Amino acid sequence: MSLPAAFHDIAKRVNNWGRWGSEDEIGTLNLITDEVVRRAAAEVRTGLRVPLALPLRHDGVQTGLIPGRVNPLHAMTQINQEIFGPGAVACSDDAVTMGLQAATHWDALTHVSHSGLLYNGRPAATITPHTGAEFSGIDKARHIVSRGVLLDVARALGTDRLDGAHAVTPEDLDAAEELAGTRVRAGDIVLVRTGQVQVYLAGKREAYGHPSPGLSIRTPEWFHARDVAAVANDTLTFEIFPPEIEDLWLPVHALHLVEMGMLQGQNWNLEKLSTACGEVGRYSFLLSAMPEPFVGATGTPVAPVALL
Amino acid sequence: MSLPAAFHDIAKRVNNWGRWGSEDEIGTLNLITDEVVRRAAAEVRTGLRVPLALPLRHDGVQTGLIPGRVNPLHAMTQINQEIFGPGAVACSDDAVTMGLQAATHWDALTHVSHSGLLYNGRPAATITPHTGAEFSGIDKARHIVSRGVLLDVARALGTDRLDGAHAVTPEDLDAAEELAGTRVRAGDIVLVRTGQVQVYLAGKREAYGHPSPGLSIRTPEWFHARDVAAVANDTLTFEIFPPEIEDLWLPVHALHLVEMGMLQGQNWNLEKLSTACGEVGRYSFLLSAMPEPFVGATGTPVAPVALL
Amino acid sequence: MSLPAAFHDIAKRVNNWGRWGSEDEIGTLNLITDEVVRRAAAEVRTGLRVPLALPLRHDGVQTGLIPGRVNPLHAMTQINQEIFGPGAVACSDDAVTMGLQAATHWDALTHVSHSGLLYNGRPAATITPHTGAEFSGIDKARHIVSRGVLLDVARALGTDRLDGAHAVTPEDLDAAEELAGTRVRAGDIVLVRTGQVQVYLAGKREAYGHPSPGLSIRTPEWFHARDVAAVANDTLTFEIFPPEIEDLWLPVHALHLVEMGMLQGQNWNLEKLSTACGEVGRYSFLLSAMPEPFVGATGTPVAPVALL
Amino acid sequence: MSLPAAFHDIAKRVNNWGRWGSEDEIGTLNLITDEVVRRAAAEVRTGLRVPLALPLRHDGVQTGLIPGRVNPLHAMTQINQEIFGPGAVACSDDAVTMGLQAATHWDALTHVSHSGLLYNGRPAATITPHTGAEFSGIDKARHIVSRGVLLDVARALGTDRLDGAHAVTPEDLDAAEELAGTRVRAGDIVLVRTGQVQVYLAGKREAYGHPSPGLSIRTPEWFHARDVAAVANDTLTFEIFPPEIEDLWLPVHALHLVEMGMLQGQNWNLEKLSTACGEVGRYSFLLSAMPEPFVGATGTPVAPVALL
C-alpha cells in the first residue's frame, strides 16, 4: 500500500519544503511576523478573555483506543504537609501522567510522517526514543501568538453541530469567512468550529471520537492559499473520520504537518468563543496558544485564550 | 511551634478574605478586569514575543529534594507507527510524567495552608487525594492575561545577578519600578528578576536551588498596596532561602497564597525579557500566562509569553 | 449511614486485633511459620510451575471506573541506544505508570478502613499523601510464600464459571475443599476459583467487572476458623458485586483487611492452575506470591507462581 | 568503532543461538526443567524466607544519570475515600511511575543488542515504541523458580565488601563455590555477592553506582560451562565499572543477554542472605524470582525470595 495519486497531487501544490530554508523547523509559524502580532493586538477591543482548553481530568476525551494516549492521571503527592515541622506553613504538591496528545493540544510537525519523511524532507528516523524528535519538536514552536479567526462553520450552515458524516469543505470555510466578516490573511490562526465537542461535553465520550465531522482533504489548499499559520478545531480526529477516501487515513494530517509544515490543534472547546463572537459581532481576536516546551516532543497540551 | 507575631501582624494588613465574597476562589485575579486587559493590549508596540518558560526536560530544575516533584519524564509511545497499515501515514505519540510544581509554574492558591486554613478561610482539609483541591484548584484560574511589568531588581541594583543572601525588599522594588518607568497598578502581573536562573542555565542545578535570593517577607505589603494580580520570579523557592527569620519557613508563600489570595510563579526565565526590555526601553507588556486546567490541582506548568 | 449490625456481629467474631501484639502490622501472615513453609515445600512433587498473573498491558482489566486505577502505560525510554558511542553495545530501557491495584495484585491491609480505623485499631489518618501508609504498608508484607490450596468452587459445583449473581458461600468452600482432598489449615493461602476471569480473557473487559460472582459476607468466618494466611481469587471485586446486602459495600474487604488483618488478592488467573490441579489430582502446592515492596503502598502488583 | 576481537572470541564460545530452536525466546531458562525444580524444592530445610529486593522508594538507587530510569514515584490516588457514601467502608489506592530497570530487577534478553542483533539472531529493530520487544520480552520469562546458589565472593575472599576496582573472576567464583560447599549445576540461578549494596544501604547513593566491583568479562564462560539459568548480583552495573578493557562497555551484558540468552539481575540485596547462609552453613536454596509480566518490556522489577 502507498499513498494514492489524489494525495500526491495536493501534496505537490501545498508543499512548503525549503520555503524558509533547509534548516527551518517551524514551517508556517514563520508567517507570524512582528507586524502580524502588532495588528493582532489591535483586535483586543472588549478585553474579554475566552479560554479554549477542556479541563484536564481522568475522564477526558480519551477512551483507551490509542495505547499511550492516556487521560491525565492527577495525584496529590503532598497534602498540607508540614515539611518544616509541626505548626509551620504546610505544602500541597501534585504530579501528573498524561499523553501529550490526550487533551486540548497542538500536534508538533513531527506528529506524523509519510513515505519515511517529515516536514522539510527530514528522515522520519530522526525521531528516537532517547531524544524524541531531533527536529521540529514542539519545543521549537515557542511563539504561538497571533490573530485568531473563528470560522464558525456550524453557525454559517445554520446548525448547532455538524453531522458526523460532514466533511468541512473549502466552500464551508468560505461561508464561515463571510459570516466572520473578515478575510483570513497570512499569519492568522484559524479555528474551525464544527460543534462536535458538545458530544463530549454531554458526557458521550465514545461517541465524541467517531464518526466525527472534520476537515476535508480539500481544505489544506484553502489554508495554503491564505498562508495560514496554524489551524485548530473542536474534534478528536481533526479531519473527517472515517475518512472520505477509502483506506486513505489521516491525509489532512500528512498535508498540514509534513507537506506544509503547519501546526494543527485538536479538542479545542470553541463553544463559548462562538457565543462570545456572536454577541460582539466579530470573529477575530488576539489568540495566545503557547505550547508547553517539552523537549523533542511531538505534541503538547495547550491552554489557549482568545482576547476579544 | 506556631507562626510568630511578626507573621500575623503582616497577615492582618494584607488579608483579602471576603473582599470578593465568601464564595470567591481566585483572589487577586479578580483585579484583572476587561478594562485592565484592554489597556494591557495597548502595550503591544513592537510585536516582539518573548517566551518565559524553561524547556521541559529530564534534567530540569528539580534535584530530588522533594519526593513527588519530579522533572518531566518524557517517553515516546509511538514512533512513525503505521497504525493503519504498511505504507500509510505514520504517527508518533508521547506521554509525560511530571510534578506540577517541577518546572516553570504557577502555584495555585491551595499550594500552601497555615493554621489549618486556605485562602478565604476554607479548611485545609478540603484538599483530598480523591479530588485534589475542592476550592481554588488551578483549573479555577482560567484567565491569566494582563499587563505584565518587569521589575528588574538585578539591573536596578547594577548587577547581573543578586547574591544568594539577598532578600528583595520593598525598596528594591521601588528602585526597579523607577527603572521600569511605569507605576505598577491594580491588576498588573509583576515579574521580579533576580538573575538567579542563570545558575541553572549554567548547568549548576544544585546551586540554583539554594542559597537563593528571593522576596523578603516585607514585599507582600508592597504588592498589596499596589493591588497586584500575581507575581512571578526566576528562582526555585520564590522567597529568600534560607529564610530571613529563623524557623519561619515560607512566610511569603503563606501571605500571598493564603492571606492575599494572590497566585505566584517560580522558575520563570526572565533573562531574554530583561534584554528585550532594556533594548526597547520599556518594561511593561501584555503577558499571557494561562494555566493548564488540571482539575483540583495545586499548581501547573505554564508557558508564559510577553508581548512587547 | 453507618455499617449495619449484621456487619458488626461478624466483625466481633473474626477480629484479630491484638492477637499478635499491639505493634503488629502483618496480621494473619504471622501464621506462616517456618514449619508451615517446610511442609509447603514438600508439596512440590512434579516440579511444574504455574504462573498466576495476567499479562501487564494497556488493555488490562481496568476500564476507567476508578480514577487512579490505571492500566499499565508501558513506554520505551531507550531502544537500542548506543549510549557509549557508535558500534558499542546498545541498550533498551522502559518505564511504566500504573495503579498498584490495577492488575493481578495484593491489597495491603491498609487498602480499606472503616469507622476511621485500620487493622489493629490504628487510625485511618495514619495514611498520608506524603508517606502513604505509616503502618501495614505492603512493604511490611515481605514473605508471602506458603502452602497454597486451590478451592475450585466452579468445578466443585459442576460448572466452568459461576454465574454473575453467585455469592460463594461457606458451603461452596466446603464442597471445593472436599474436591481438593485436603483440609485447609493454619497458614495456608487459599485461592478461590470462580472462573470469572474467563470473561476478561475473552475480551469482554466491561462485563468482567460486574455483575461478578465473589465471596459472600459469610466466608470470612470460614477463613477465620481455618486460620488462613491470605485469600485470592479470579475476580475484579473479590466479593460478590453488586453486594448481597443493599447499601453494604465491600463488607468482605473490611472484615478481611481491617478486622482479621488478612491480605487478599484479586484478578488472579486461576484457569491453568485449575487444569493442572485436575490433571495431577492434587489441589495443594507451594505458592510464592511476593509483593513488590513499595514503601507505604496500599497494594502491589504480584506475579504469583504455584509449584506443584 | 566496533566490538574488539577479545569480545568476539568469547562470544563464539558461549553462543547459544539455535540451541533451543530458532523460535526460542527464553534462552537458558530452558535449563530449568521440572526435575531441576523438584530438586530445588528439596533445598528447603529450615523454612526460612529471605526476601532479596530493595524497598521501592523515591530515593532508590537511581541518581538521574539515565533519563528514563527513574526511581519509583509513588502517589496515593485515594485515601480513606468513602466512595459509596459517608459512613461506608473507605478505600485507599495508589499509583506508581518507575523505570523498569530502576530498582531490584531482571534484565530481559532484549535489554541490550550488539551489531544490530538480539538473542537468537533476531534483528534489534524488532523492538519498537509501539509494542516494545516483539521477541524475548520479559513477559515471556514466566517461570523463574529454581535452585539458587549464593556465591559469596566477598566472604570467600575474606572481606566484607569488594573494592570498587575488583573484577570478579572465574577464580573468585571457584573460591566462592568451594565456600558454598555445592557444585553449581545446570539450571541453577547464581547469586554473586560483592557487598557493594552496602554502600547504597549506608545512604551513599552516588558512590554505590561507580566505581563498582562486578563481573569480569571472563565469567560468562564460567557460567556457560556450568549451564547456569540466570545470574544476579548486588551492584548497579552488574559488571565491573568502569570496564576492564578501555572503550569496551557492557561486554558481560552482551555476552549474557545476546550471546547466551541468559537473564541477569541487578541491585539485589544479598546481605541478609549472606548472613543466613553463613548461619545455617548452606549456600543453596529454593529461589523464586518471578518477573512482573509487562508485555514487551526489556526489564522488570522483581521481588525475589530465597527459601532455605
Side-chain angles (χ1 to χ4, degrees):
Chain A
M1 189 175 94
S2 64
L3 298 174
F7 173 85
H8 288 293
D9 289 348
I10 303 175
K12 229 169 290 173
R13 292 198 289 271
V14 301
N15 186 280
N16 281 325
W17 297 5
R19 179 171 171 189
W20 297 281
S22 63
E23 304 296 306
D24 179 60
E25 304 186 40
I26 61 170
T28 55
L29 292 182
N30 284 292
L31 297 164
I32 310 179
T33 62
D34 289 355
E35 168 64 17
V36 164
V37 175
R38 279 199 301 275
R39 295 202 309 202
E43 299 280 355
V44 184
R45 298 186 202 164
T46 66
L48 201 62
R49 291 154 287 161
V50 185
L52 307 178
L54 292 170
L56 291 163
R57 43 191 307 152
H58 73 92
D59 49 359
V61 298
Q62 301 303 321
T63 55
L65 293 183
I66 306 179
R69 204 172 282 188
V70 290
N71 286 317
L73 167 63
H74 171 247
M76 301 301 306
T77 52
Q78 293 190 40
I79 296 184
N80 301 307
Q81 184 69 24
E82 297 175 334
I83 46 180
F84 297 108
V89 172
C91 295
S92 295
D93 258 39
D94 17 27
V96 74
T97 296
M98 67 182 293
L100 292 180
Q101 295 83 5
T104 302
H105 71 275
W106 282 121
D107 288 338
L109 298 186
T110 38
H111 174 55
V112 307
S113 62
H114 78 81
S115 317
L117 296 175
L118 299 163
Y119 166 67
N120 228 357
R122 293 203 170 86
T126 53
I127 310 177
T128 65
H130 191 54
T131 52
E134 186 181 345
F135 302 101
S136 295
I138 199 64
D139 54 309
K140 306 290 173 61
R142 293 297 296 275
H143 306 77
I144 310 186
V145 182
S146 190
R147 189 174 82 133
V149 177
L150 177 66
L151 295 187
D152 195 335
V153 174
R155 179 172 296 157
L157 300 190
T159 182
D160 207 38
R161 177 161 70 84
L162 299 179
D163 186 78
H166 188 107
V168 173
T169 62
E171 295 72 29
D172 292 342
L173 298 181
D174 286 336
E177 193 185 35
E178 192 175 320
L179 171 69
T182 182
R183 189 174 167 82
V184 172
R185 56 190 185 224
D188 280 350
I189 297 171
V190 171
L191 310 184
V192 179
R193 178 171 170 266
T194 69
Q196 176 71 5
V197 81
Q198 295 165 23
V199 179
Y200 169 71
L201 296 174
K204 297 171 192 156
R205 297 168 59 211
E206 302 281 349
Y208 167 58
H210 63 96
S212 175
L215 297 179
S216 159
I217 191 174
R218 295 170 51 220
T219 52
E221 289 188 81
W222 195 96
F223 298 123
H224 186 65
R226 307 296 174 95
D227 258 347
V228 162
V231 177
N233 74 12
D234 53 356
T235 69
L236 185 80
T237 54
F238 191 65
E239 49 192 286
I240 175 82
F241 201 92
E244 302 159 277
I245 301 174
E246 206 183 329
D247 269 339
L248 179 51
W249 304 90
L250 303 182
V252 180
H253 278 65
L255 292 167
H256 284 174
L257 300 171
V258 180
E259 299 293 332
M260 298 169 63
M262 183 179 76
L263 262 67
Q264 55 183 43
Q266 284 115 300
N267 302 315
W268 293 37
N269 183 353
L270 304 177
E271 294 304 296
K272 286 186 181 159
L273 181 62
S274 172
T275 303
C277 289
E279 284 174 3
V280 303
R282 282 190 309 121
Y283 288 79
S284 58
F285 37 82
L286 177 64
L287 178 73
S288 176
M290 292 286 289
E292 298 289 334
F294 290 101
V295 175
T298 67
T300 180
V302 64
V305 63
L307 306 182
L308 278 82
Chain B
M1 190 177 95
S2 64
L3 298 173
F7 174 85
H8 286 293
D9 288 349
I10 302 174
K12 228 169 289 174
R13 291 197 291 271
V14 301
N15 186 281
N16 281 325
W17 297 6
R19 180 173 171 187
W20 296 283
S22 62
E23 303 297 304
D24 180 61
E25 302 187 40
I26 62 170
T28 55
L29 292 182
N30 285 292
L31 296 164
I32 309 180
T33 61
D34 288 357
E35 168 64 18
V36 163
V37 175
R38 279 198 301 275
R39 295 201 310 202
E43 298 280 354
V44 184
R45 298 185 202 164
T46 65
L48 199 63
R49 292 154 288 159
V50 185
L52 308 178
L54 293 169
L56 291 162
R57 45 193 302 153
H58 74 91
D59 50 358
V61 299
Q62 302 302 321
T63 55
L65 293 183
I66 305 179
R69 205 174 280 189
V70 290
N71 286 318
L73 167 64
H74 172 247
M76 300 303 305
T77 52
Q78 292 190 40
I79 296 183
N80 301 307
Q81 184 69 23
E82 297 174 333
I83 46 180
F84 298 106
V89 172
C91 296
S92 296
D93 258 39
D94 19 25
V96 74
T97 296
M98 68 181 294
L100 292 180
Q101 294 82 7
T104 302
H105 70 275
W106 281 121
D107 289 338
L109 298 187
T110 38
H111 174 54
V112 306
S113 60
H114 78 80
S115 318
L117 295 175
L118 298 163
Y119 167 67
N120 227 358
R122 291 201 172 86
T126 53
I127 310 177
T128 64
H130 192 54
T131 52
E134 185 181 344
F135 303 100
S136 295
I138 199 65
D139 55 310
K140 306 291 173 61
R142 295 296 298 275
H143 306 78
I144 310 186
V145 181
S146 189
R147 188 173 83 133
V149 177
L150 176 66
L151 295 187
D152 195 334
V153 173
R155 180 174 293 158
L157 300 190
T159 182
D160 207 38
R161 176 162 70 83
L162 299 180
D163 186 80
H166 188 108
V168 172
T169 62
E171 294 73 30
D172 293 342
L173 298 180
D174 285 336
E177 192 185 36
E178 192 176 319
L179 171 69
T182 182
R183 188 174 168 84
V184 172
R185 57 190 186 222
D188 280 352
I189 297 172
V190 170
L191 310 184
V192 179
R193 178 172 171 266
T194 69
Q196 177 70 5
V197 81
Q198 295 166 23
V199 180
Y200 169 71
L201 296 173
K204 297 171 192 156
R205 295 169 60 212
E206 302 281 349
Y208 168 57
H210 62 95
S212 174
L215 297 179
S216 160
I217 191 173
R218 294 171 50 217
T219 51
E221 289 189 79
W222 195 97
F223 298 123
H224 185 65
R226 305 297 175 94
D227 258 346
V228 161
V231 177
N233 74 12
D234 54 356
T235 70
L236 185 79
T237 54
F238 192 64
E239 48 192 286
I240 174 83
F241 202 91
E244 302 159 278
I245 300 174
E246 206 184 326
D247 270 338
L248 179 51
W249 305 90
L250 304 182
V252 179
H253 279 65
L255 292 167
H256 283 175
L257 300 171
V258 181
E259 300 293 332
M260 298 170 61
M262 183 179 76
L263 262 68
Q264 55 184 42
Q266 283 115 300
N267 302 315
W268 293 37
N269 183 353
L270 304 176
E271 294 305 296
K272 285 184 182 162
L273 181 61
S274 171
T275 303
C277 288
E279 284 172 6
V280 303
R282 281 189 311 119
Y283 289 79
S284 57
F285 36 82
L286 177 62
L287 178 74
S288 177
M290 291 287 288
E292 298 290 335
F294 290 102
V295 175
T298 66
T300 181
V302 64
V305 63
L307 306 181
L308 279 84
Chain C
M1 189 175 95
S2 64
L3 299 174
F7 174 84
H8 286 293
D9 288 349
I10 302 174
K12 227 169 289 171
R13 291 196 291 271
V14 302
N15 185 281
N16 281 326
W17 296 6
R19 179 173 171 187
W20 296 283
S22 62
E23 304 297 303
D24 180 61
E25 303 187 40
I26 61 170
T28 55
L29 292 182
N30 284 292
L31 296 164
I32 310 179
T33 61
D34 288 356
E35 168 65 18
V36 164
V37 175
R38 279 199 301 275
R39 295 202 309 202
E43 299 280 355
V44 185
R45 298 184 201 166
T46 65
L48 199 63
R49 290 154 289 160
V50 185
L52 308 178
L54 294 169
L56 291 163
R57 43 193 304 152
H58 74 91
D59 50 359
V61 297
Q62 301 303 320
T63 55
L65 294 183
I66 305 181
R69 204 174 280 188
V70 290
N71 286 319
L73 166 64
H74 171 248
M76 301 302 305
T77 52
Q78 293 190 39
I79 296 184
N80 300 307
Q81 183 68 26
E82 297 174 332
I83 46 180
F84 298 106
V89 172
C91 295
S92 296
D93 258 39
D94 18 25
V96 74
T97 296
M98 68 181 293
L100 292 180
Q101 294 82 9
T104 302
H105 71 276
W106 282 121
D107 290 338
L109 298 187
T110 38
H111 175 53
V112 307
S113 60
H114 78 82
S115 318
L117 295 175
L118 299 163
Y119 167 66
N120 227 358
R122 292 201 171 86
T126 53
I127 309 177
T128 66
H130 192 54
T131 52
E134 186 181 346
F135 303 101
S136 295
I138 200 65
D139 54 309
K140 305 293 173 58
R142 295 296 297 275
H143 306 76
I144 310 187
V145 182
S146 190
R147 188 174 84 132
V149 177
L150 176 66
L151 294 187
D152 195 334
V153 174
R155 178 173 295 158
L157 300 190
T159 181
D160 208 37
R161 176 163 69 83
L162 299 180
D163 185 80
H166 188 108
V168 172
T169 61
E171 294 73 31
D172 292 342
L173 298 180
D174 284 337
E177 192 185 35
E178 193 175 319
L179 170 70
T182 181
R183 188 173 168 84
V184 172
R185 56 190 186 223
D188 280 351
I189 297 173
V190 170
L191 310 184
V192 179
R193 179 171 171 266
T194 69
Q196 176 70 6
V197 81
Q198 296 165 23
V199 180
Y200 169 72
L201 295 174
K204 298 172 192 155
R205 294 169 60 213
E206 302 281 349
Y208 167 57
H210 62 96
S212 174
L215 297 178
S216 159
I217 191 173
R218 294 170 51 218
T219 50
E221 290 189 79
W222 195 96
F223 298 124
H224 186 65
R226 306 297 174 94
D227 258 347
V228 162
V231 177
N233 73 13
D234 54 357
T235 71
L236 186 78
T237 54
F238 192 63
E239 48 192 284
I240 174 83
F241 201 90
E244 304 159 276
I245 301 175
E246 205 183 329
D247 269 340
L248 178 52
W249 305 90
L250 303 182
V252 179
H253 278 65
L255 292 167
H256 284 174
L257 300 171
V258 181
E259 299 293 331
M260 297 169 64
M262 182 177 78
L263 261 68
Q264 55 183 43
Q266 282 114 301
N267 303 314
W268 292 38
N269 183 353
L270 304 176
E271 295 304 297
K272 286 186 181 160
L273 181 60
S274 171
T275 303
C277 288
E279 285 171 5
V280 303
R282 280 189 313 119
Y283 288 78
S284 58
F285 36 84
L286 177 63
L287 178 74
S288 177
M290 291 287 289
E292 297 290 333
F294 290 102
V295 174
T298 67
T300 180
V302 64
V305 63
L307 306 181
L308 278 83
Chain D
M1 189 175 94
S2 65
L3 299 174
F7 174 86
H8 288 293
D9 289 348
I10 303 175
K12 226 169 292 173
R13 292 196 291 270
V14 301
N15 186 281
N16 281 325
W17 297 5
R19 179 172 171 188
W20 297 282
S22 62
E23 304 297 305
D24 180 60
E25 302 186 42
I26 61 170
T28 55
L29 292 182
N30 285 292
L31 296 164
I32 309 180
T33 61
D34 289 356
E35 167 65 17
V36 164
V37 175
R38 279 199 300 275
R39 293 201 311 202
E43 298 280 354
V44 185
R45 298 187 200 162
T46 66
L48 200 62
R49 290 154 289 160
V50 185
L52 307 178
L54 293 170
L56 291 163
R57 44 193 304 152
H58 75 92
D59 50 358
V61 299
Q62 301 303 321
T63 55
L65 293 183
I66 306 179
R69 204 173 282 188
V70 290
N71 286 318
L73 167 62
H74 171 247
M76 300 302 306
T77 52
Q78 292 191 39
I79 297 184
N80 300 308
Q81 184 67 25
E82 296 174 334
I83 46 180
F84 298 106
V89 172
C91 295
S92 296
D93 257 40
D94 18 26
V96 74
T97 297
M98 66 181 294
L100 292 180
Q101 295 83 5
T104 302
H105 71 276
W106 282 121
D107 289 338
L109 298 186
T110 38
H111 175 53
V112 307
S113 61
H114 77 81
S115 318
L117 296 175
L118 298 163
Y119 167 66
N120 227 358
R122 293 203 170 84
T126 53
I127 309 178
T128 66
H130 192 54
T131 51
E134 185 180 346
F135 302 100
S136 295
I138 200 64
D139 53 310
K140 306 290 173 62
R142 294 297 298 275
H143 307 78
I144 310 186
V145 181
S146 189
R147 189 174 83 135
V149 177
L150 176 67
L151 295 186
D152 196 334
V153 174
R155 178 173 294 158
L157 300 190
T159 181
D160 207 38
R161 175 162 70 84
L162 299 179
D163 186 78
H166 188 107
V168 172
T169 62
E171 295 73 29
D172 293 341
L173 297 180
D174 286 336
E177 192 185 33
E178 192 176 321
L179 171 69
T182 183
R183 189 172 167 85
V184 172
R185 56 189 186 222
D188 281 351
I189 298 172
V190 170
L191 310 184
V192 179
R193 179 172 171 265
T194 69
Q196 177 70 5
V197 80
Q198 295 165 23
V199 179
Y200 169 71
L201 295 174
K204 296 172 192 156
R205 294 169 59 213
E206 302 282 349
Y208 167 58
H210 62 96
S212 174
L215 296 179
S216 160
I217 192 174
R218 295 170 51 219
T219 51
E221 291 189 78
W222 195 95
F223 298 123
H224 186 65
R226 306 296 174 94
D227 258 346
V228 162
V231 177
N233 73 12
D234 54 355
T235 70
L236 186 79
T237 54
F238 191 66
E239 47 192 286
I240 175 83
F241 202 91
E244 302 159 278
I245 300 174
E246 207 184 327
D247 269 338
L248 178 51
W249 304 90
L250 303 182
V252 179
H253 278 65
L255 292 167
H256 284 175
L257 300 171
V258 180
E259 299 293 333
M260 298 169 63
M262 182 179 77
L263 262 67
Q264 55 184 42
Q266 284 116 300
N267 303 314
W268 293 37
N269 183 353
L270 304 177
E271 295 304 296
K272 285 185 181 160
L273 181 61
S274 171
T275 303
C277 289
E279 285 173 5
V280 304
R282 281 188 312 121
Y283 289 78
S284 57
F285 36 83
L286 177 63
L287 178 73
S288 176
M290 292 287 287
E292 297 291 334
F294 290 102
V295 175
T298 66
T300 180
V302 64
V305 62
L307 306 181
L308 279 84

